[in-house]
Amino acid sequence: MSEKRFFEKIKEYHFEKNNLNSIAEEVFKSTEYLLKIQNFTSEFIFHKVPLIINADKDSIIEAIINIISNSLKFSKENKSIKVTTTKKQNFAVIEIEDKGVGISEAL
């Protein structure tokens, strides 16, 4: 890979204050229809107060969508996904739970 191609692929991050609840809700709204047509039950539970994080919003959205996409691909029988935002100690947390095959513990 040439040096030019390497630097073209480097993502530029824009860190700013964001509400994790709002980001998760945005992803929920954008994936709700897809989950429904693939017969998934979905549950999104948002923390009762805003969870302010210093992050690149687009990267957080991309990561959440990637995990939901993996759930869609690898959940064959029990099609269920649960997304929860919460606060643990001084950290904002997003938990994504599905009933797919998961990752082998051997990895």
Side-chain angles (χ1 to χ4, degrees):
M1 177 184 299
S2 72
E3 184 177 335
K4 182 180 178 191
R5 280 193 72 205
F6 174 78
F7 285 108
E8 286 174 354
K9 292 185 177 199
I10 294 177
K11 179 172 171 46
E12 189 172 316
Y13 295 95
H14 301 284
F15 289 88
E16 57 190 17
K17 291 188 186 297
N18 287 284
N19 180 352
L20 184 59
N21 291 337
S22 298
I23 294 172
E25 184 175 18
E26 186 176 325
V27 171
F28 169 70
K29 288 178 181 177
S30 69
T31 60
E32 183 177 28
Y33 178 73
L34 185 58
L35 291 166
K36 186 176 183 174
I37 64 171
Q38 293 201 21
N39 297 316
F40 267 76
T41 58
S42 60
E43 183 178 11
F44 283 69
I45 302 169
F46 304 115
H47 192 63
K48 58 187 176 247
V49 297
L51 296 170
I52 305 303
I53 59 173
N54 187 31
D56 180 84
K57 180 181 177 181
D58 292 337
S59 294
I60 300 297
I61 289 171
E62 183 179 350
I64 297 168
I65 288 175
N66 184 41
I67 294 168
I68 291 173
S69 174
N70 286 342
S71 294
L72 289 167
K73 288 180 204 171
F74 300 110
S75 295
K76 301 298 180 199
E77 293 176 23
N78 190 349
K79 295 182 173 190
S80 173
I81 189 162
K82 180 179 176 183
V83 178
T84 306
T85 60
T86 188
K87 186 175 183 180
K88 291 186 180 177
Q89 297 174 354
N90 287 328
F91 296 97
V93 176
I94 186 162
E95 297 173 334
I96 303 171
E97 177 184 343
D98 65 30
K99 304 298 182 192
V101 295
I103 300 171
S104 169
E105 290 195 24
L107 297 177

